[in-house]
């Protein structure tokens, strides 16, 4: 990245740089992958570019469906321009099908279809290992108002309906995903971060039997191999329909 831009923040998978316009930022997607709060780390050449392209296409689609997001435009293959937001320190996970931590923490069997989407909140705090948090604790900590939390829940449910159809059209089943939101300079709530196979579980519907084929970061989390092949396949399917 051109050194005229200042590195404002470096996360596990992205770097955020300043922009000439103070209301904007430049976000660079890295090739690093982490799991279990960075206990497990690896680098996958080309992952940053794939996630950037996939996420850009999905954000463009959400914007067309009137979802307020931070995304402005692709700058190049692994960089986007976005609205600068004050990130709300919550991870909002929506689950359509039980998998992952839900099945480790309950007696619900992996692969169970949920009668209605389940929304779980996690506190974004690496030192505490991003713990599961309740609505009452969010209020107690004054993280956001209950009105804004309701707004975020409504937006998340709406995004789920849009994404379920988007992915079904490319033969993928949306199992669950994680979102992050923030406030822009006018205090509007915008969807931030990324939507990619790093933060969605996507199962291939092009399977003759019932075997689960994950085309997402579970390939790394569960040592399945073929992460770049899976992400490339998603990018290929998206570009075929758009
Ligand atoms: P979980 O089953 O591990 O709670 O994950 C649920 C979804 O959230 C899954 O699609 C992966 C995503 N996720 C993130 O994007 N970041 C995280 O730190 C975690 C724990 C999950």
């Amino acid at each position: 990245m051109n050194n005229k831009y200042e590195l404002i923040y470096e996360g596990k998978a992205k770097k955020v740089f300043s922009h000439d316009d103070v209301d904007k930022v430049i976000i660079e997607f890295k090739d690093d992958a982490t799991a279990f709060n960075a206990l497990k780390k690896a680098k996958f050449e080309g992952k940053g570019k794939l996630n950037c392209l996939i996420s850009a296409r999905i954000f463009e689609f959400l914007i067309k469906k009137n979802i307020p997001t931070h995304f402005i435009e692709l700058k190049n293959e692994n960089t986007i321009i976005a609205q600068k937001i004050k990130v709300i320190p919550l991870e909002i996970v929506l689950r359509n099908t039980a998998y992952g931590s839900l099945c480790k923490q309950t007696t619900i069997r992996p692969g169970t279809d949920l009668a209605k989407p389940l929304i779980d909140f996690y506190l974004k705090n690496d030192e505490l290992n991003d713990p599961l948090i309740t609505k009452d604790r969010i209020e107690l900590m004054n993280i956001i108002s209950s009105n804004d939390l309701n707004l975020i829940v409504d937006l998340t449910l709406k995004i789920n309906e849009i994404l379920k159809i988007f992915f079904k059209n490319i033969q993928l089943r949306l199992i669950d995903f994680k979102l992050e939101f923030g406030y822009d300079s006018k205090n509007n709530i915008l969807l931030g971060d990324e939507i990619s196979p790093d933060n969605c579980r996507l199962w291939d519907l092009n399977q003759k039997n019932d075997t689960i084929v994950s085309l997402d970061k579970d390939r790394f989390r569960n040592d399945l191999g073929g992460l770049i092949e899976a992400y490339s396949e998603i990018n290929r399917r998206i570009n075929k329909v758009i």
Side-chain angles (χ1 to χ4, degrees), residues 91 93 95 99-102 122 130 176-178 198-201 221:
E91 300 198 340
V93 169
R95 303 173 194 274
Y99 211 65
S101 70
L102 177 63
Y122 295 85
D130 296 349
D176 56 29
F177 57 91
K178 184 263 297 182
D198 262 17
N199 57 3
C200 298
R201 283 199 174 94
R221 293 189 190 97

Side-chain angles (χ1 to χ4, degrees), residues 107-119:
T107 54
I108 303 170
R109 301 255 296 270
T112 308
D113 260 324
L114 305 179
K116 61 176 186 151
L118 170 70
I119 295 186

Side-chain angles (χ1 to χ4, degrees), residues 6 21 48 50 78 80 96 100 106 112-113 124 131 134 137 140 142 163 166 192-193 199 211 213 221 225 231 238:
E6 181 200 345
D21 180 338
L50 285 163
N78 67 341
I80 63 162
N96 292 308
T106 68
T112 308
D113 260 324
K124 228 173 119 63
T134 62
R137 287 188 185 194
L140 189 69
N142 277 321
L163 291 184
F166 177 90
D193 196 40
N199 57 3
T211 47
V213 173
R221 293 189 190 97
Y231 286 30
I238 290 176

Side-chain angles (χ1 to χ4, degrees), residues 141-155:
M141 290 178 70
N142 277 321
I143 297 175
I144 48 170
S145 68
S146 61
N147 195 41
D148 281 359
L149 190 60
N150 289 337
L151 221 143
I152 284 176
V153 166
D154 287 348
L155 269 174

Side-chain angles (χ1 to χ4, degrees), residues 229-241:
E229 290 78 359
Y231 286 30
S232 301
E233 175 61 14
I234 292 179
N235 192 38
R236 192 188 64 77
R237 290 190 197 179
I238 290 176
N239 285 315
K240 222 166 116 184
V241 294

Side-chain angles (χ1 to χ4, degrees), residues 8-23:
I8 305 173
Y9 170 82
E10 178 160 4
K12 289 188 279 242
K14 289 186 288 298
K15 285 182 185 172
V16 181
F17 294 90
S18 63
H19 186 281
D20 297 328
D21 180 338
V22 293
D23 282 333

